[in-house]
Each structure stands twice: as structure tokens, then as C-alpha cells.
Amino acid sequence: MSYYQNTGVSNRKQQQYGGTYGQQGTYGGANSHAQQGAAFYNNPSAASAPVPAAAPTTWQPTPAPHSGNQINLGGSTNTDSGNSMNSMNAAPNSGGGGAQPGPTVQQSQQPEQPQLWNPANINSMMKNDMVMNMAYDGGKAFLANGAARMIPGLELLMVTLRYYFAVDNSYVLHKMQRVLFPFLKKDWKRLEAEGHGNVKYALPRFDENAPDLYIPFMSLVTYVLLCALLFGSKGQFTPEALPEITTRCFVTQILEVLAIRLGHYVMQVPCSLLDMFCFTGYKYMGLCVNMLVGLFFGYWPYYGTMTWTASATAFFMLRTMANNVPRITATNGPKREVMVMVFAASQALTMWWLSQTKLLSE
């Protein structure tokens, strides 16, 4: 006989208390708590006995009507105006009244960005022969059809300059030896190529006596950088040093070429201005050698080296002009031999003028 039966509590009261106690559980464990409450009021000593758990139930709220959004709550699907929201299925909870998980909104994935040009792939592009050929053809077509029409004479200039840059490693090596050690060379006549009408000469890579602009240009750049290195080693470098040295070299060479052109004019012989820029530009190679010696050994070794390089450059100019100036000149003009000697002496004079020796240590 239970405790409430002894005190006069009716079965209806027992069921009410038991039901009330059981209603405090969650949705998934309501029946189990109801059984435990009834057993406690009927028999307090048997309250600790295990009660078999009831089958869990899943909470499924009643979906509210929407206008088109797609909402997934516990497996149910509704539609809303185009947005998509998914929630996890509610897990059964067999003990305690926990908070119910709210719906989780899944944001739409951003569209993948298109793959743009990567500068790191430039090496693979340069190694592709097809890409290089296309770039070459495009540049050639641009010069032929685009810029050549807008700038008169540009195409002719590019074709002319192409001859003076047709060099290779073998030519550069032999040309440097000929400029710095001209006393050892015997043959100074240029090779003639097959041509119709005017005389045409072989390309520089086939004839080491041919003039080129590659060595003078690179020698000029190297000499300007060496002068800047000298100024920096003495703590007197300024950004204005580079344009000042470059301008001085350019102005000096232009005046020198004009003087040589005037000498050809009074002798009434033809003269190529580009050839004169080539021949007068080889002195920058000697200036580079002088500056290197001055940087490492000082003032007096600089002038010792300059004596050699100036003599070599003057002799190179003498032999070159002797084979390029025609032997027949104007009868009432200056003598050919005198003008050739003046052209050669001008190389030594301009090398002294362009020297940067004021900062060399003695």
C-alpha cells in the first residue's frame, strides 16, 4: 500500500501529480518523466528503480507560409523569394528542457573570379617560340603599317640602324682587340658584299673592319657608370652627375662628327654620318679602361694607361680613315694626308677632354 493511499489521496490526485511532474520534461522525454512521477507518488521507495526510456520523438514545428524563400527546418521545405536557408535537423533531447537550435543561414557562394594574367608566367611565355614569333610579326606589322605611316622615314631609319647592330660575340671580341691593339693588325680594308649599283659592304658579324654602334653605345653607358662609381667612392655623387657626364660626351662627339663632316666636304668626298659616329665612338672603350685603372691604382697609373689607349685609338682612326677616304680629292682643297692626320689626332684630344681625373687619388 502506497503512501498516498494511507493518507487518503485518491488515484485521480496521484495521476494529476504524476502528470504534472512529467510535463516538466522536454518534448522528446515527456512520457519518461511522467512515468517516473507516477512511480514516486505511488511508491517512494521504488523511485530509484530504472524506468525504460520511451522512444524519442522529433520536434517538427509547423511551417509558416512564405512567399518563395526556400527554408529547410528539420527536413521540411518552404519557398520564398529566392534565398536559400538550411537548418540542422533537431536532435532528440531525452533529458532537460534545452534551448532549441535556431535555423542556420547558409550564404550563397561567391562566383569564382576569372584567372587574370600572371607576371610569373612571363618566363614560360618567352620560351614559347610561337608566342615570340607572333610578337615579332605584330611588331613588324606595326612598324610597316602603323608608325611608319605616321612618322615619315622611320622605316628607313630602322632598316639602316639594323646594319650597325648586326653583331655577335666573335665580332665584339675581335673588334675590341683591334681598337686596343691596332699596331698588331695588318688588314684594314672592308669586305664588299654583292650588290647592284652602289657599293655595299658586309655586315659587321662577317667583317671585323666594319663599323658598328653596339660597342660605342655600350662603352658610353659603361663609362658613365664608372664615373658615377668614382664620385660615389669619394662621397661626392649627386643625381645630376649622370646626365652631366652623358651630355658632355654627346655634345663632344656631335661636334667632332660635324668637324669631320666639314673636312670631307672641303675635300669633296662622300661621308656617312653614322659611320663617323661609329668610328668616333670607339674611344669610349679606351676611357673605360682608363677609369678602371684609375679606380684601382690611382692618378698616375691612370695617365700611364691613357697614353696607351689614346695612342691606340688615334692609330685605329688613322688606319680606318686612310682606307675609307677616297684617294682622289678636290685639287683646290686640303690634302688628304693632312686631314686624315687631323682626324686621328682629334681622338686623343677628345679622350683627354672627357677624362674625369679630378677625384682620383695620387
Side-chain angles (χ1 to χ4, degrees):
M1 182 178 293
S2 65
Y3 173 79
Y4 280 100
Q5 289 177 351
N6 293 333
T7 57
V9 180
S10 63
N11 292 335
R12 180 176 174 272
K13 196 69 175 178
Q14 298 175 17
Q15 294 177 359
Q16 179 180 359
Y17 279 91
T20 305
Y21 180 83
Q23 291 175 358
Q24 296 178 1
T26 59
Y27 290 98
N31 296 333
S32 175
H33 288 290
Q35 294 176 5
Q36 292 179 3
F40 174 77
Y41 289 111
N42 292 330
N43 189 4
S45 62
S48 60
V51 179
T57 59
T58 303
W59 174 70
Q60 296 182 355
T62 303
H66 293 279
S67 60
N69 283 342
Q70 183 177 0
I71 307 175
N72 294 336
L73 299 174
S76 61
T77 303
N78 295 324
T79 57
D80 203 347
S81 60
N83 296 328
S84 174
M85 296 186 295
N86 298 326
S87 67
M88 299 174 61
N89 293 333
N93 190 356
S94 60
Q100 301 172 2
T104 302
V105 179
Q106 183 180 1
Q107 298 180 355
S108 60
Q109 296 182 355
Q110 297 294 334
E112 185 178 357
Q113 297 294 335
Q115 184 66 26
L116 302 178
W117 177 74
N118 187 3
N121 299 331
I122 187 64
N123 292 331
S124 59
M125 295 176 62
M126 294 295 291
K127 295 179 180 179
N128 193 338
D129 295 338
M130 184 178 65
V131 175
M132 295 302 296
N133 292 334
M134 292 176 60
Y136 174 78
D137 295 338
K140 186 177 179 181
F142 173 77
L143 289 176
N145 301 325
R149 294 181 178 178
M150 294 183 292
I151 305 177
L154 178 61
E155 184 178 5
L156 179 60
L157 178 62
M158 297 300 295
V159 173
T160 304
L161 290 177
R162 189 183 306 170
Y163 169 86
Y164 293 97
F165 286 92
V167 300
D168 55 10
N169 295 334
S170 177
Y171 169 82
V172 173
L173 179 62
H174 288 86
K175 194 69 173 185
M176 293 175 63
Q177 294 176 355
R178 181 173 289 271
V179 173
L180 297 177
F181 305 98
F183 311 103
L184 305 178
K185 303 297 181 179
K186 301 297 182 181
D187 184 17
W188 292 88
K189 187 177 181 180
R190 296 178 61 177
L191 296 178
E192 296 182 2
E194 296 181 359
H196 301 282
N198 297 332
V199 178
K200 294 184 179 180
Y201 296 100
L203 295 176
R205 63 171 175 263
F206 301 119
D207 181 17
E208 62 183 52
N209 290 321
D212 72 282
L213 287 173
Y214 175 79
I215 295 178
F217 178 76
M218 298 303 297
S219 300
L220 173 61
V221 174
T222 305
Y223 177 66
V224 172
L225 295 178
L226 289 175
C227 292
L229 179 61
L230 174 63
F231 292 162
S233 63
K234 302 301 179 180
Q236 299 186 14
F237 175 78
T238 58
E240 292 79 10
L242 296 178
E244 287 178 0
I245 299 173
T246 305
T247 303
R248 185 176 183 179
C249 293
F250 270 127
V251 172
T252 303
Q253 187 173 3
I254 291 174
L255 294 177
E256 185 180 11
V257 170
L258 292 177
I260 294 175
R261 180 65 184 89
L262 179 61
H264 283 75
Y265 176 77
V266 296
M267 289 188 297
Q268 298 182 4
V269 293
C271 174
S272 173
L273 289 179
L274 289 178
D275 287 354
M276 295 302 106
F277 273 104
C278 297
F279 295 141
T280 58
Y282 290 122
K283 61 175 172 287
Y284 296 121
M285 190 188 309
L287 291 172
C288 291
V289 176
N290 299 341
M291 187 57 65
L292 284 174
V293 174
L295 285 172
F296 286 100
F297 302 103
Y299 183 84
W300 294 109
Y302 176 91
Y303 275 101
T305 306
M306 183 179 175
T307 303
W308 172 266
T309 56
S311 302
T313 305
F315 185 79
F316 170 82
M317 190 68 171
L318 177 66
R319 297 302 303 268
T320 300
M321 298 304 294
N323 285 270
N324 284 273
V325 176
R327 295 186 178 274
I328 301 176
T329 60
T331 56
N332 56 351
K335 292 185 178 181
R336 173 181 178 272
E337 292 76 10
V338 174
M339 295 303 297
V340 171
M341 292 292 293
V342 172
F343 297 157
S346 65
Q347 299 304 298
L349 182 62
T350 53
M351 287 184 67
W352 171 81
W353 171 252
L354 295 175
S355 299
Q356 300 289 334
T357 59
K358 59 182 180 180
L359 296 180
L360 292 176
S361 58
E362 296 184 3

